[in-house]
Coordinates of all heavy atoms in Angstrom, one line a residue:
M1 N -11.8 -40.6 -66.6 CA -10.6 -40.5 -67.4 C -9.4 -40.0 -66.5 O -8.8 -39.0 -66.7 CB -10.8 -39.5 -68.5 CG -11.9 -39.8 -69.5 SD -12.1 -38.5 -70.7 CE -12.8 -37.2 -69.7
P2 N -9.1 -40.7 -65.4 CA -8.1 -40.3 -64.5 C -6.7 -40.1 -65.2 O -5.9 -39.3 -64.8 CB -8.0 -41.3 -63.4 CG -8.7 -42.5 -64.0 CD -9.6 -42.0 -65.1
N3 N -6.4 -41.0 -66.2 CA -5.1 -40.9 -66.8 C -4.9 -39.6 -67.6 O -3.8 -39.2 -67.8 CB -4.9 -42.1 -67.8 CG -4.8 -43.4 -67.0 OD1 -4.4 -43.3 -65.8 ND2 -5.0 -44.5 -67.6
N4 N -6.0 -39.0 -68.0 CA -5.8 -37.8 -68.8 C -6.0 -36.5 -68.0 O -6.0 -35.4 -68.5 CB -6.9 -37.8 -69.9 CG -6.6 -38.9 -70.9 OD1 -5.4 -39.2 -71.2 ND2 -7.6 -39.5 -71.5
A5 N -6.2 -36.7 -66.7 CA -6.5 -35.5 -65.9 C -5.4 -34.4 -66.0 O -5.7 -33.3 -66.0 CB -6.6 -35.9 -64.4
K6 N -4.2 -34.8 -66.2 CA -3.1 -33.8 -66.2 C -3.2 -33.0 -67.5 O -2.6 -31.9 -67.6 CB -1.7 -34.5 -66.1 CG -1.3 -35.4 -67.2 CD 0.1 -35.9 -67.0 CE 0.6 -37.1 -67.7 NZ 0.3 -37.4 -69.0
N7 N -3.9 -33.5 -68.5 CA -4.0 -32.7 -69.7 C -5.3 -31.8 -69.7 O -5.5 -31.1 -70.7 CB -4.1 -33.7 -70.9 CG -2.8 -34.3 -71.2 OD1 -1.7 -33.6 -71.0 ND2 -2.8 -35.5 -71.7
L8 N -6.0 -31.8 -68.6 CA -7.2 -31.0 -68.6 C -6.8 -29.5 -68.2 O -6.0 -29.3 -67.3 CB -8.2 -31.5 -67.6 CG -8.9 -32.8 -67.9 CD1 -9.8 -33.2 -66.8 CD2 -9.6 -32.7 -69.3
R9 N -7.4 -28.6 -68.9 CA -7.2 -27.2 -68.5 C -8.6 -26.5 -68.5 O -9.5 -26.9 -69.2 CB -6.4 -26.5 -69.6 CG -4.9 -27.0 -69.6 CD -4.2 -26.6 -68.4 NE -2.8 -27.1 -68.4 CZ -2.4 -28.2 -68.0 NH1 -3.2 -29.1 -67.6 NH2 -1.1 -28.6 -68.0
K10 N -8.6 -25.5 -67.7 CA -9.9 -24.8 -67.6 C -10.0 -23.6 -68.6 O -9.1 -22.8 -68.7 CB -10.1 -24.2 -66.1 CG -11.5 -23.7 -65.9 CD -11.8 -23.6 -64.4 CE -11.2 -22.2 -63.9 NZ -11.6 -22.0 -62.5
C11 N -11.1 -23.6 -69.3 CA -11.3 -22.5 -70.2 C -11.6 -21.2 -69.5 O -12.4 -21.1 -68.6 CB -12.5 -22.9 -71.1 SG -13.0 -21.5 -72.2
A12 N -10.9 -20.1 -69.9 CA -11.0 -18.8 -69.2 C -12.3 -18.2 -69.5 O -12.7 -17.2 -68.9 CB -9.8 -17.9 -69.6
V13 N -13.0 -18.7 -70.5 CA -14.3 -18.1 -70.9 C -15.5 -18.7 -70.3 O -16.2 -18.1 -69.5 CB -14.4 -18.1 -72.5 CG1 -15.8 -17.5 -72.9 CG2 -13.3 -17.3 -73.1
C14 N -15.6 -20.0 -70.5 CA -16.8 -20.7 -70.0 C -16.5 -21.5 -68.7 O -17.5 -22.1 -68.1 CB -17.4 -21.6 -71.1 SG -16.3 -23.0 -71.5
R15 N -15.3 -21.6 -68.3 CA -14.9 -22.2 -67.0 C -15.0 -23.8 -67.0 O -15.0 -24.4 -66.0 CB -15.7 -21.7 -65.8 CG -15.7 -20.2 -65.8 CD -14.5 -19.7 -65.0 NE -14.4 -18.2 -65.1 CZ -13.3 -17.6 -64.9 NH1 -12.2 -18.2 -64.5 NH2 -13.2 -16.3 -65.0
I16 N -15.3 -24.3 -68.2 CA -15.4 -25.8 -68.3 C -14.0 -26.4 -68.6 O -13.3 -25.8 -69.4 CB -16.4 -26.2 -69.4 CG1 -17.8 -25.7 -68.9 CG2 -16.4 -27.7 -69.7 CD1 -18.9 -25.8 -70.0
H17 N -13.7 -27.5 -68.0 CA -12.4 -28.1 -68.2 C -12.5 -28.9 -69.5 O -13.5 -29.6 -69.8 CB -12.0 -29.0 -67.1 CG -11.6 -28.3 -65.8 ND1 -12.5 -27.8 -65.0 CD2 -10.4 -28.0 -65.4 CE1 -11.9 -27.1 -64.0 NE2 -10.6 -27.3 -64.2
A18 N -11.4 -28.9 -70.2 CA -11.3 -29.7 -71.5 C -9.8 -30.1 -71.7 O -8.9 -29.6 -71.1 CB -11.8 -29.0 -72.7
D19 N -9.6 -31.1 -72.6 CA -8.3 -31.6 -72.9 C -7.5 -30.5 -73.6 O -8.1 -29.8 -74.5 CB -8.4 -32.8 -73.7 CG -7.0 -33.5 -73.8 OD1 -6.7 -34.3 -72.9 OD2 -6.3 -33.2 -74.8
K20 N -6.2 -30.4 -73.3 CA -5.4 -29.4 -74.0 C -5.5 -29.4 -75.5 O -5.5 -28.4 -76.2 CB -3.9 -29.7 -73.8 CG -3.4 -29.3 -72.4 CD -2.0 -30.0 -72.3 CE -1.1 -29.3 -71.4 NZ 0.2 -30.0 -71.3
S21 N -5.7 -30.6 -76.1 CA -5.8 -30.7 -77.5 C -7.0 -30.0 -78.1 O -7.1 -29.7 -79.3 CB -5.8 -32.2 -78.0 OG -7.0 -32.8 -77.4
E22 N -8.0 -29.7 -77.3 CA -9.2 -29.0 -77.7 C -9.2 -27.5 -77.4 O -10.2 -26.8 -77.6 CB -10.5 -29.6 -77.1 CG -10.7 -31.1 -77.4 CD -11.7 -31.7 -76.4 OE1 -12.5 -31.0 -75.9 OE2 -11.6 -32.9 -76.2
M23 N -8.0 -27.1 -77.0 CA -7.9 -25.7 -76.6 C -6.8 -24.9 -77.2 O -5.9 -25.5 -77.8 CB -7.8 -25.7 -75.0 CG -8.9 -26.5 -74.4 SD -8.8 -26.4 -72.6 CE -9.8 -25.0 -72.3
I24 N -6.9 -23.6 -77.1 CA -5.7 -22.8 -77.5 C -5.2 -22.2 -76.3 O -5.9 -22.0 -75.3 CB -6.1 -21.7 -78.6 CG1 -7.2 -20.8 -78.0 CG2 -6.6 -22.4 -79.9 CD1 -7.5 -19.6 -78.9
R25 N -3.9 -21.7 -76.4 CA -3.3 -21.2 -75.2 C -2.7 -19.8 -75.5 O -2.1 -19.6 -76.5 CB -2.1 -22.1 -74.8 CG -1.4 -21.7 -73.5 CD -0.2 -22.7 -73.2 NE 0.3 -22.4 -71.9 CZ 1.6 -21.9 -71.7 NH1 2.3 -21.6 -72.7 NH2 2.0 -21.7 -70.5
F26 N -2.9 -19.0 -74.5 CA -2.2 -17.6 -74.5 C -1.2 -17.6 -73.4 O -1.4 -18.3 -72.4 CB -3.3 -16.5 -74.3 CG -4.3 -16.5 -75.4 CD1 -5.5 -17.2 -75.3 CD2 -4.1 -15.8 -76.6 CE1 -6.4 -17.2 -76.3 CE2 -5.0 -15.7 -77.6 CZ -6.2 -16.5 -77.4
V27 N -0.2 -16.9 -73.6 CA 0.9 -16.8 -72.6 C 1.3 -15.4 -72.4 O 1.3 -14.6 -73.3 CB 2.0 -17.8 -73.0 CG1 2.8 -17.2 -74.1 CG2 2.9 -18.0 -71.8
K28 N 1.6 -15.2 -71.1 CA 2.2 -13.9 -70.7 C 3.6 -14.2 -70.3 O 3.8 -14.9 -69.3 CB 1.4 -13.2 -69.6 CG 2.0 -11.9 -69.2 CD 1.1 -11.3 -68.1 CE 1.7 -10.1 -67.5 NZ 0.8 -9.7 -66.3
T29 N 4.6 -13.7 -71.0 CA 6.0 -14.0 -70.6 C 6.5 -13.1 -69.5 O 5.8 -12.1 -69.1 CB 6.9 -13.8 -71.9 OG1 6.8 -12.5 -72.3 CG2 6.5 -14.7 -73.0
K30 N 7.7 -13.4 -69.1 CA 8.3 -12.6 -68.0 C 8.4 -11.1 -68.3 O 8.3 -10.2 -67.5 CB 9.7 -13.1 -67.6 CG 9.6 -14.2 -66.6 CD 11.1 -14.6 -66.3 CE 11.2 -16.2 -66.2 NZ 12.5 -16.7 -66.5
D31 N 8.7 -10.8 -69.6 CA 8.8 -9.4 -70.0 C 7.4 -8.8 -70.5 O 7.4 -7.9 -71.3 CB 9.9 -9.2 -71.0 CG 9.8 -10.2 -72.2 OD1 8.9 -11.0 -72.2 OD2 10.6 -10.1 -73.1
E32 N 6.3 -9.5 -69.9 CA 5.0 -8.9 -70.1 C 4.4 -8.9 -71.5 O 3.5 -8.2 -71.8 CB 5.0 -7.4 -69.6 CG 5.5 -7.2 -68.2 CD 4.5 -7.5 -67.1 OE1 3.5 -6.9 -67.1 OE2 4.8 -8.5 -66.3
K33 N 5.0 -9.8 -72.3 CA 4.5 -9.9 -73.7 C 3.4 -11.0 -73.7 O 3.5 -12.0 -73.1 CB 5.6 -10.3 -74.7 CG 6.5 -9.2 -75.0 CD 7.2 -9.6 -76.4 CE 8.2 -8.5 -76.8 NZ 9.5 -8.8 -76.2
I34 N 2.2 -10.6 -74.3 CA 1.1 -11.6 -74.3 C 0.9 -12.0 -75.8 O 0.8 -11.1 -76.7 CB -0.1 -10.9 -73.7 CG1 0.1 -10.7 -72.2 CG2 -1.3 -11.9 -73.9 CD1 -0.9 -9.8 -71.6
F35 N 0.8 -13.3 -76.0 CA 0.6 -13.7 -77.4 C -0.1 -15.1 -77.4 O -0.1 -15.8 -76.4 CB 1.9 -13.7 -78.2 CG 3.0 -14.6 -77.6 CD1 3.1 -15.9 -78.0 CD2 3.9 -14.1 -76.7 CE1 4.1 -16.7 -77.5 CE2 4.9 -14.9 -76.1 CZ 5.0 -16.2 -76.5
L36 N -0.6 -15.4 -78.6 CA -1.1 -16.7 -78.8 C 0.0 -17.7 -78.9 O 0.9 -17.6 -79.8 CB -2.0 -16.7 -80.1 CG -2.6 -18.0 -80.6 CD1 -3.6 -18.5 -79.6 CD2 -3.3 -17.8 -81.9
D37 N 0.0 -18.7 -78.0 CA 1.1 -19.7 -77.9 C 0.7 -20.9 -78.7 O 0.1 -21.8 -78.2 CB 1.3 -20.0 -76.5 CG 2.4 -21.1 -76.3 OD1 3.1 -21.3 -77.2 OD2 2.3 -21.7 -75.2
R38 N 1.1 -20.9 -80.0 CA 0.8 -22.0 -80.9 C 1.5 -23.3 -80.4 O 0.9 -24.4 -80.7 CB 1.1 -21.7 -82.3 CG 0.2 -20.6 -82.9 CD 0.8 -20.1 -84.2 NE 0.2 -18.8 -84.5 CZ -1.0 -18.6 -85.0 NH1 -1.8 -19.6 -85.3 NH2 -1.5 -17.4 -85.2
S39 N 2.6 -23.2 -79.8 CA 3.3 -24.4 -79.4 C 2.7 -25.0 -78.1 O 2.8 -26.2 -77.8 CB 4.8 -24.1 -79.1 OG 4.9 -23.3 -77.9
K40 N 1.9 -24.2 -77.4 CA 1.3 -24.5 -76.1 C 2.3 -24.9 -75.0 O 2.0 -25.5 -74.0 CB 0.3 -25.7 -76.2 CG -0.8 -25.4 -77.2 CD -1.8 -26.5 -77.3 CE -2.9 -26.2 -78.3 NZ -3.9 -27.3 -78.4
T41 N 3.6 -24.5 -75.2 CA 4.6 -24.9 -74.2 C 5.5 -23.7 -73.9 O 6.5 -23.9 -73.2 CB 5.5 -26.0 -74.8 OG1 6.1 -25.6 -76.0 CG2 4.7 -27.3 -75.0
A42 N 5.1 -22.5 -74.3 CA 6.0 -21.3 -74.1 C 6.1 -21.0 -72.6 O 5.1 -21.3 -71.8 CB 5.4 -20.1 -74.8
D43 N 7.2 -20.5 -72.1 CA 7.4 -20.2 -70.7 C 6.5 -19.0 -70.4 O 6.4 -18.0 -71.1 CB 8.9 -19.8 -70.5 CG 9.7 -21.0 -70.1 OD1 9.1 -22.0 -69.9 OD2 10.9 -20.8 -70.0
G44 N 6.0 -19.0 -69.2 CA 5.2 -17.9 -68.7 C 3.8 -18.4 -68.2 O 3.6 -19.6 -68.1
R45 N 3.0 -17.4 -67.8 CA 1.7 -17.8 -67.3 C 0.7 -18.0 -68.5 O 0.6 -17.2 -69.3 CB 1.2 -16.6 -66.5 CG -0.2 -16.7 -66.0 CD -0.4 -15.7 -64.8 NE -1.8 -15.3 -64.7 CZ -2.9 -16.1 -64.6 NH1 -2.7 -17.4 -64.6 NH2 -4.1 -15.7 -64.5
G46 N 0.1 -19.2 -68.4 CA -0.8 -19.6 -69.5 C -2.2 -19.4 -69.2 O -2.7 -19.5 -68.1
V47 N -3.0 -19.1 -70.3 CA -4.4 -19.0 -70.1 C -5.0 -19.8 -71.3 O -4.6 -19.7 -72.4 CB -4.9 -17.5 -70.2 CG1 -6.4 -17.5 -70.5 CG2 -4.6 -16.8 -69.0
W48 N -5.9 -20.7 -70.9 CA -6.5 -21.6 -71.9 C -7.9 -21.3 -72.3 O -8.7 -20.8 -71.4 CB -6.4 -23.0 -71.4 CG -5.1 -23.6 -71.1 CD1 -4.2 -23.3 -70.1 CD2 -4.3 -24.4 -72.0 NE1 -3.0 -23.9 -70.2 CE2 -3.0 -24.6 -71.4 CE3 -4.5 -25.0 -73.3 CZ2 -2.0 -25.4 -72.0 CZ3 -3.6 -25.8 -73.9 CH2 -2.3 -26.0 -73.2
V49 N -8.2 -21.4 -73.6 CA -9.6 -21.1 -74.1 C -9.9 -22.2 -75.1 O -9.1 -22.7 -75.8 CB -9.6 -19.8 -74.7 CG1 -11.0 -19.5 -75.3 CG2 -9.2 -18.7 -73.8
H50 N -11.2 -22.6 -75.1 CA -11.6 -23.6 -76.0 C -11.4 -23.1 -77.5 O -11.6 -21.9 -77.8 CB -13.2 -23.8 -75.9 CG -13.5 -24.7 -74.8 ND1 -14.2 -24.3 -73.7 CD2 -13.3 -26.1 -74.6 CE1 -14.4 -25.3 -72.9 NE2 -13.9 -26.4 -73.4
D51 N -10.9 -24.0 -78.3 CA -10.7 -23.7 -79.7 C -12.1 -23.8 -80.4 O -12.3 -24.6 -81.3 CB -9.7 -24.7 -80.3 CG -9.3 -24.3 -81.7 OD1 -9.8 -23.2 -82.2 OD2 -8.6 -25.0 -82.4
S52 N -13.0 -22.9 -80.0 CA -14.3 -22.9 -80.6 C -14.7 -21.5 -80.8 O -14.3 -20.6 -80.1 CB -15.4 -23.6 -79.6 OG -15.6 -22.7 -78.5
A53 N -15.5 -21.3 -81.9 CA -15.9 -19.9 -82.2 C -16.6 -19.3 -81.1 O -16.5 -18.1 -80.8 CB -16.8 -20.0 -83.5
E54 N -17.5 -20.0 -80.4 CA -18.2 -19.5 -79.3 C -17.3 -18.8 -78.2 O -17.5 -17.7 -77.8 CB -19.1 -20.6 -78.7 CG -20.3 -20.0 -77.9 CD -21.1 -21.1 -77.2 OE1 -21.0 -22.3 -77.7 OE2 -21.8 -20.8 -76.3
C55 N -16.4 -19.6 -77.7 CA -15.5 -19.1 -76.6 C -14.6 -18.0 -77.1 O -14.4 -17.1 -76.4 CB -14.7 -20.3 -76.0 SG -15.8 -21.3 -74.9
I56 N -14.1 -18.2 -78.3 CA -13.2 -17.2 -78.9 C -13.9 -15.9 -79.1 O -13.4 -14.8 -78.8 CB -12.5 -17.7 -80.1 CG1 -11.5 -18.9 -79.8 CG2 -11.7 -16.6 -80.8 CD1 -11.0 -19.7 -80.9
Q57 N -15.1 -15.9 -79.6 CA -15.8 -14.7 -79.9 C -16.2 -14.0 -78.5 O -16.1 -12.8 -78.4 CB -17.1 -14.9 -80.6 CG -16.9 -15.2 -82.1 CD -16.1 -14.2 -82.8 OE1 -16.3 -13.0 -82.6 NE2 -15.1 -14.6 -83.6
K58 N -16.5 -14.8 -77.5 CA -16.8 -14.2 -76.2 C -15.6 -13.6 -75.6 O -15.6 -12.5 -75.0 CB -17.4 -15.3 -75.3 CG -18.5 -14.8 -74.4 CD -19.0 -15.9 -73.6 CE -20.2 -16.6 -74.3 NZ -20.9 -17.6 -73.5
L59 N -14.4 -14.2 -75.8 CA -13.2 -13.7 -75.3 C -12.9 -12.4 -75.9 O -12.4 -11.5 -75.2 CB -12.1 -14.7 -75.7 CG -10.6 -14.4 -75.3 CD1 -10.4 -14.9 -73.9 CD2 -9.6 -14.9 -76.2
I60 N -13.1 -12.2 -77.2 CA -12.8 -11.0 -77.9 C -13.8 -9.9 -77.4 O -13.4 -8.8 -77.1 CB -12.9 -11.2 -79.4 CG1 -11.8 -12.1 -79.9 CG2 -12.8 -9.8 -80.1 CD1 -12.0 -12.7 -81.3
K61 N -15.1 -10.3 -77.4 CA -16.1 -9.3 -77.1 C -16.0 -8.7 -75.7 O -16.1 -7.5 -75.5 CB -17.5 -10.0 -77.3 CG -18.6 -9.0 -77.9 CD -19.9 -9.8 -78.1 CE -19.9 -10.5 -79.5 NZ -21.1 -11.2 -79.7
K62 N -15.7 -9.6 -74.8 CA -15.6 -9.1 -73.4 C -14.1 -8.9 -72.9 O -13.9 -8.6 -71.8 CB -16.2 -10.2 -72.5 CG -17.6 -10.5 -72.7 CD -18.2 -11.4 -71.7 CE -19.7 -11.6 -71.9 NZ -20.3 -12.5 -70.9
K63 N -13.3 -9.0 -73.9 CA -11.8 -8.7 -73.6 C -11.4 -9.5 -72.4 O -10.8 -9.0 -71.4 CB -11.5 -7.2 -73.4 CG -11.8 -6.4 -74.7 CD -11.1 -5.1 -74.7 CE -11.5 -4.2 -75.8 NZ -11.4 -4.8 -77.1
L64 N -11.7 -10.8 -72.4 CA -11.4 -11.6 -71.2 C -9.9 -11.9 -71.0 O -9.6 -12.3 -69.9 CB -12.2 -12.9 -71.3 CG -13.7 -12.8 -71.1 CD1 -14.5 -14.1 -71.4 CD2 -14.0 -12.3 -69.7
L65 N -9.1 -11.7 -72.0 CA -7.7 -11.8 -71.7 C -7.2 -10.8 -70.7 O -6.3 -11.0 -69.9 CB -6.9 -11.8 -73.0 CG -7.0 -13.0 -73.9 CD1 -6.2 -12.7 -75.2 CD2 -6.4 -14.2 -73.2
N66 N -7.8 -9.6 -70.8 CA -7.4 -8.6 -69.8 C -7.7 -9.0 -68.4 O -6.9 -8.8 -67.5 CB -8.2 -7.3 -70.1 CG -7.9 -6.7 -71.4 OD1 -7.7 -7.4 -72.4 ND2 -7.9 -5.4 -71.5
T67 N -8.8 -9.7 -68.2 CA -9.2 -10.2 -66.9 C -8.3 -11.3 -66.5 O -7.8 -11.4 -65.4 CB -10.6 -10.7 -66.9 OG1 -11.4 -9.7 -67.6 CG2 -11.2 -11.0 -65.5
A68 N -8.1 -12.2 -67.4 CA -7.3 -13.4 -67.1 C -5.8 -13.1 -66.8 O -5.3 -13.7 -65.9 CB -7.3 -14.4 -68.3
F69 N -5.3 -12.1 -67.5 CA -3.9 -11.8 -67.2 C -3.7 -10.6 -66.3 O -2.6 -10.2 -65.9 CB -3.1 -11.5 -68.5 CG -2.8 -12.7 -69.4 CD1 -3.4 -12.8 -70.6 CD2 -2.0 -13.7 -68.9 CE1 -3.1 -13.9 -71.4 CE2 -1.7 -14.8 -69.7 CZ -2.2 -14.9 -70.9
K70 N -4.9 -10.0 -65.8 CA -4.9 -8.9 -64.9 C -4.0 -7.7 -65.4 O -3.3 -7.1 -64.7 CB -4.4 -9.3 -63.5 CG -5.3 -10.3 -62.9 CD -4.9 -10.6 -61.4 CE -5.8 -11.5 -60.7 NZ -5.8 -12.8 -61.3
C71 N -4.1 -7.5 -66.7 CA -3.5 -6.3 -67.3 C -4.1 -6.0 -68.6 O -5.0 -6.8 -69.1 CB -2.0 -6.6 -67.5 SG -1.6 -7.8 -68.8
S72 N -3.7 -5.0 -69.2 CA -4.3 -4.6 -70.5 C -3.6 -5.2 -71.7 O -2.4 -5.2 -71.9 CB -4.2 -3.0 -70.6 OG -4.1 -2.6 -71.9
V73 N -4.4 -5.9 -72.5 CA -3.9 -6.7 -73.6 C -4.1 -5.8 -74.9 O -5.1 -5.2 -75.0 CB -4.7 -8.0 -73.7 CG1 -4.3 -8.8 -75.0 CG2 -4.4 -8.9 -72.5
S74 N -3.1 -5.8 -75.7 CA -3.2 -5.0 -76.9 C -4.3 -5.3 -77.8 O -4.7 -6.5 -78.0 CB -1.9 -5.0 -77.7 OG -1.8 -6.2 -78.4
E75 N -4.9 -4.3 -78.4 CA -6.0 -4.5 -79.3 C -5.6 -5.4 -80.5 O -6.4 -6.1 -81.0 CB -6.5 -3.1 -79.9 CG -7.3 -2.3 -78.9 CD -8.6 -2.9 -78.6 OE1 -9.2 -3.5 -79.5 OE2 -9.1 -2.9 -77.5
S76 N -4.4 -5.3 -80.9 CA -3.9 -6.0 -82.1 C -4.0 -7.5 -81.9 O -4.3 -8.3 -82.8 CB -2.5 -5.6 -82.5 OG -1.6 -5.9 -81.4
L77 N -3.9 -8.0 -80.6 CA -4.0 -9.4 -80.4 C -5.5 -9.8 -80.6 O -5.7 -10.8 -81.2 CB -3.6 -9.8 -79.0 CG -3.7 -11.2 -78.6 CD1 -3.0 -12.2 -79.5 CD2 -3.2 -11.5 -77.1
Y78 N -6.4 -9.0 -80.1 CA -7.8 -9.3 -80.3 C -8.2 -9.3 -81.8 O -9.0 -10.1 -82.3 CB -8.7 -8.3 -79.5 CG -8.7 -8.6 -78.0 CD1 -8.1 -7.7 -77.2 CD2 -9.3 -9.7 -77.5 CE1 -8.1 -7.9 -75.8 CE2 -9.3 -9.9 -76.1 CZ -8.7 -9.0 -75.3 OH -8.6 -9.2 -73.9
E79 N -7.6 -8.3 -82.5 CA -7.9 -8.2 -83.9 C -7.3 -9.4 -84.7 O -7.9 -9.9 -85.6 CB -7.2 -6.9 -84.5 CG -8.1 -5.7 -84.2 CD -7.4 -4.4 -84.4 OE1 -6.4 -4.4 -85.1 OE2 -7.8 -3.4 -83.8
E80 N -6.1 -9.8 -84.2 CA -5.6 -11.0 -84.9 C -6.5 -12.2 -84.7 O -6.7 -13.0 -85.6 CB -4.2 -11.3 -84.2 CG -3.5 -12.5 -84.8 CD -2.2 -12.9 -84.0 OE1 -1.7 -12.1 -83.2 OE2 -1.8 -14.1 -84.1
L81 N -7.0 -12.4 -83.5 CA -7.9 -13.5 -83.2 C -9.2 -13.4 -84.0 O -9.7 -14.4 -84.5 CB -8.3 -13.4 -81.7 CG -7.3 -13.9 -80.7 CD1 -7.8 -13.7 -79.3 CD2 -6.9 -15.3 -80.9
D82 N -9.7 -12.2 -84.1 CA -11.0 -11.9 -84.8 C -10.8 -12.3 -86.2 O -11.8 -12.7 -86.9 CB -11.4 -10.5 -84.6 CG -12.9 -10.3 -84.7 OD1 -13.6 -11.4 -84.6 OD2 -13.4 -9.2 -84.9
G83 N -9.7 -12.0 -86.8 CA -9.4 -12.3 -88.2 C -9.2 -13.8 -88.5 O -9.2 -14.1 -89.7
K84 N -9.1 -14.6 -87.5 CA -8.8 -16.0 -87.8 C -9.9 -16.9 -87.3 O -10.4 -16.7 -86.2 CB -7.5 -16.4 -87.0 CG -6.3 -15.8 -87.6 CD -5.0 -16.5 -87.1 CE -3.8 -16.1 -87.8 NZ -3.4 -14.7 -87.7
R85 N -10.2 -17.8 -88.1 CA -11.2 -18.8 -87.7 C -10.6 -20.2 -87.4 O -11.2 -21.0 -86.8 CB -12.2 -19.0 -88.8 CG -13.1 -17.8 -89.1 CD -14.1 -17.6 -88.0 NE -14.8 -16.3 -88.1 CZ -14.4 -15.2 -87.5 NH1 -13.4 -15.2 -86.7 NH2 -15.1 -14.1 -87.6
E86 N -9.4 -20.3 -87.8 CA -8.7 -21.6 -87.5 C -7.4 -21.3 -86.8 O -6.7 -20.3 -87.1 CB -8.4 -22.3 -88.8 CG -9.6 -23.0 -89.4 CD -9.3 -23.6 -90.7 OE1 -8.2 -24.2 -90.8 OE2 -10.1 -23.5 -91.6
F87 N -7.0 -22.2 -85.9 CA -5.8 -22.0 -85.1 C -4.8 -23.1 -85.3 O -5.1 -24.2 -85.2 CB -6.1 -21.8 -83.6 CG -6.8 -20.5 -83.3 CD1 -8.2 -20.5 -83.4 CD2 -6.1 -19.4 -83.1 CE1 -8.8 -19.3 -83.1 CE2 -6.7 -18.2 -82.9 CZ -8.1 -18.1 -82.9
Ligands
ZN101 ZN1 -14.8 -22.5 -73.2

């Protein structure tokens, strides 16, 4: 699938590459705000994760956003994720 290569992103949880359409994106903006980027196009450093219960649960349990963004992510973001099954 060479034509789609540019749409591939690596999941921060399982490290497997997948198409953007199968993933959710988190972003850290210049002013250090971290949030779920529903548009997938927000400015800033992006972290991609599979839009699957398995990867999202692991992300929450191990607080992998802290690792991915190399900073401390607010509990409320994890709680928001935990409360949602659909994105
Ligand atoms: Zn994954």
Side-chain angles (χ1 to χ4, degrees):
M1 302 178 286
N3 288 340
N4 294 327
K6 65 175 162 45
N7 287 327
L8 290 180
R9 292 295 180 272
K10 191 164 84 174
C11 175
V13 177
C14 67
R15 310 275 171 197
I16 293 169
H17 287 80
D19 191 88
K20 280 170 156 182
S21 63
E22 296 166 27
M23 307 183 87
I24 57 171
R25 181 182 191 249
F26 297 90
V27 70
K28 181 178 168 187
T29 61
K30 272 182 225 156
D31 51 358
E32 309 279 299
K33 285 203 183 88
I34 295 168
F35 58 91
L36 177 62
D37 174 21
R38 289 168 202 280
S39 70
K40 302 184 182 178
T41 57
D43 269 352
R45 174 162 151 57
V47 166
W48 295 80
V49 178
H50 280 113
D51 188 3
S52 71
E54 201 186 338
C55 284
I56 292 168
Q57 286 306 315
K58 216 176 270 183
L59 180 88
I60 296 167
K61 217 175 275 179
K62 299 188 176 178
K63 299 202 187 303
L64 289 173
L65 285 178
N66 297 34
T67 314
F69 286 118
K70 297 188 174 64
C71 70
S72 146
V73 175
S74 76
E75 281 297 321
S76 61
L77 178 57
Y78 287 111
E79 279 164 22
E80 183 192 337
L81 285 174
D82 207 17
K84 288 192 169 70
R85 292 286 171 267
E86 287 175 37
F87 290 90

